[in-house]
Amino acid sequence: MADLKLGKLPDRTPVKLAITITPDLQSALQSYANLYASTYGVEEPVAELIPAMLVAFLESDRSFARTRATTK
């Protein structure tokens, strides 16, 4: 087997997840999408922003990162 610098790529198969949110959260997410559009000049649907928001949240949670690193 070759000794490549690039390891095997992780599974990138998208997973669809359906959730129910409150009207207040929907309003806040839409406000965020509007601010995103005015900041970057690109309109993105809320559904496209949420995965990036979740990744950013999880990466910023140091306790979660520590716990996850020790359980992998």
Side-chain angles (χ1 to χ4, degrees):
M1 184 193 283
D3 186 24
L4 300 177
K5 288 189 182 258
L6 178 65
K8 185 177 178 186
L9 296 177
D11 183 7
R12 296 177 315 276
T13 306
V15 177
K16 187 166 184 150
L17 176 66
I19 64 169
T20 302
I21 60 174
T22 64
D24 288 344
L25 180 54
Q26 172 59 27
S27 178
L29 289 168
Q30 190 56 57
S31 294
Y32 190 93
N34 294 340
L35 180 58
Y36 181 95
S38 68
T39 300
Y40 296 111
V42 178
E43 289 188 23
E44 295 286 355
V46 169
E48 294 293 323
L49 294 174
I50 290 173
M53 294 167 82
L54 290 172
V55 168
F57 173 81
L58 291 174
E59 287 176 349
S60 70
D61 188 321
R62 292 180 184 182
S63 179
F64 174 71
R66 273 194 306 274
T67 301
R68 191 166 189 220
T70 61
T71 59
K72 272 192 166 181

